[in-house]
Amino acid sequence: MPAPKTGIRNSDAGLTMEDLAKLAGVSKITVSRALRDSPLVTPETREKVRQIASEQGYRLNVSARNLRMRRSYSVAVVVEMTPVKGRPMSDPYPLELLGGITQELTTAGYSVVLTSKQLLDTAPVQGADGMILLGQGSHGEAVHALQRTGLPLVVWGAPEPGGDYVVVGSDNRAGGVSAAQRFIDQGRRKLVFLGDVDHAEVQERCAGFIDAMGGQGTVHIIRPKAFTFEAGFDCISALLKKKGPVFDGVFAASDSLAMGAIRALAEKNMRVPESVSVIGYDDTPSAASFVPPLTSVHQYLRDGGVLLAKKMLGLIEGQPVQSEMLPTMLMVRHT
């Protein structure tokens, strides 16, 4: 290719991003964003920059840039969730969180490496600029595993006493309080909490629920082995078989658990909500379409994903970052 008439060096002679910015009449950061298809640059400017770059034979050397900046411009998102038949990875959790994370990180020019706790030693994860963990795991085991990598870390979940990491989550305690208030208003006093309190988020939901009841009734805690429809069905079926219909309200730590509980009650000819009121958690799309439509605590998962990404970008840039909790809302339906 003949040398450009502008007197600016071509790529073979070392055309720089600064040179390209002068040719396009824009800033260097605008050139960088345009070549990475960032939505922060207008389509017209992106096309102008890319056309000039093509004419000059310029190619963005991502590896060289990353080496120079000592960054990979990637963030590893670790999903602490074992896919099972009753709770696939296609559930709203974690997909809604992932949608918010991806939206925010790609807008900022970062790629997302989706992985699991078992793959922390792989090159894409080790080379990431930071990690976002979705789910703390039982007794915080997943958190401790990721902390050992030494990378910046943001966790979706609930703050734990003495935790020295940034947490974004829903106000689980407030979610439990809203469920208790609903049962109190309905005159329900013999209650079941259905959820594994070894998980920090579930523990907070249970604590808020019991505290808000304030001794106005009894709460029997049942720990299912999973957050699935089948687990909810099995737990309530076993309770009914063992003790009979001695409860009038069930607060489940997930919608799937709540739906399984309702099925178990139906098989014993116990009507919901006439005999037993049931409240779920997450307010998944299936909650509204379930029969009967399920009352559930809503989490703003997509907003949570955006906030997780913003916190991570702040850590990468060396900014002060604090944990933050999002509100919840009880969606009252027929149960």
Side-chain angles (χ1 to χ4, degrees), residues 45 57 75 118 224 229 273 307:
T45 300
V75 171
Q118 290 73 28
F229 181 99
L307 194 55

Side-chain angles (χ1 to χ4, degrees), residues 10-302:
N10 63 22
S11 60
D12 294 334
L15 184 73
T16 67
M17 193 173 290
E18 289 86 347
D19 296 333
L20 192 57
K22 291 178 182 178
L23 286 172
V26 297
S27 66
K28 178 182 173 183
I29 187 62
T30 298
V31 170
S32 176
R33 288 171 173 169
L35 294 177
R36 289 185 283 110
D37 286 327
S38 169
L40 297 176
V41 180
T42 64
E44 294 78 11
T45 300
R46 288 206 302 269
E47 180 58 31
K48 176 183 177 181
V49 171
R50 294 174 73 86
Q51 183 176 347
I52 294 174
S54 178
E55 291 172 353
Q56 299 298 321
Y58 181 90
R59 295 291 183 273
L60 178 63
N61 190 330
V62 175
S63 297
R65 179 202 64 178
N66 293 350
L67 183 62
R68 183 175 65 254
M69 299 293 292
R70 295 184 179 179
R71 290 186 186 175
S72 66
Y73 285 88
S74 67
V75 171
V77 179
V78 182
V79 180
E80 173 57 14
M81 174 181 173
T82 303
V84 294
K85 182 179 179 182
R87 195 188 185 207
M89 292 289 285
S90 56
D91 266 7
Y93 173 88
L95 287 188
E96 287 193 37
L97 284 170
L98 286 171
I101 292 169
T102 302
Q103 168 190 312
E104 194 66 23
L105 289 181
T106 55
T107 298
Y110 282 74
S111 59
V112 176
V113 179
L114 182 60
T115 187
S116 68
K117 189 177 65 175
Q118 290 73 28
L119 299 174
L120 295 183
D121 293 332
T122 59
V125 177
Q126 290 290 315
D129 296 328
M131 290 184 176
I132 295 175
L133 174 62
L134 304 185
Q136 293 157 281
S138 178
H139 300 292
E141 293 171 355
V143 176
H144 303 318
L146 266 65
Q147 283 184 307
R148 289 193 287 270
T149 68
L151 291 171
L153 175 65
V154 181
V155 177
W156 172 263
E160 291 190 286
D164 57 350
Y165 50 91
V166 177
V167 180
V168 173
S170 293
D171 191 339
N172 290 283
R173 184 172 287 266
V177 169
S178 65
Q181 190 59 57
R182 172 70 174 168
F183 285 145
I184 290 172
D185 293 344
Q186 292 178 312
R188 309 291 181 171
R189 295 296 184 269
K190 299 175 182 178
L191 308 173
V192 171
F193 179 82
L194 188 57
D196 185 355
V197 293
D198 285 340
H199 293 263
E201 292 174 90
V202 178
Q203 187 178 70
E204 283 292 291
R205 294 167 197 176
C206 184
F209 182 65
I210 292 175
D211 287 349
M213 288 303 301
Q216 298 183 56
T218 59
V219 179
H220 179 56
I221 299 174
I222 301 178
R223 299 187 181 191
K225 295 181 179 179
F227 292 84
T228 62
F229 181 99
E230 290 80 7
F233 177 88
D234 291 344
C235 285
I236 297 301
S237 294
L239 184 63
L240 289 170
K241 184 177 180 180
K242 181 179 180 181
K243 293 187 176 183
V246 294
F247 55 94
D248 55 13
V250 175
F251 178 34
S254 77
D255 286 347
S256 294
L257 284 169
M259 294 173 190
I262 292 173
R263 178 63 60 84
L265 291 166
E267 290 202 357
K268 294 296 183 180
N269 296 315
M270 298 178 66
R271 295 177 62 83
V272 175
E274 290 83 0
S275 300
V276 180
S277 288
V278 178
I279 298 175
Y281 212 100
D282 291 333
D283 189 32
T284 55
S286 57
S289 59
F290 192 71
V291 180
L294 179 65
T295 296
S296 181
V297 178
H298 181 78
Q299 294 197 86
Y300 297 90
L301 294 176
R302 187 173 185 85

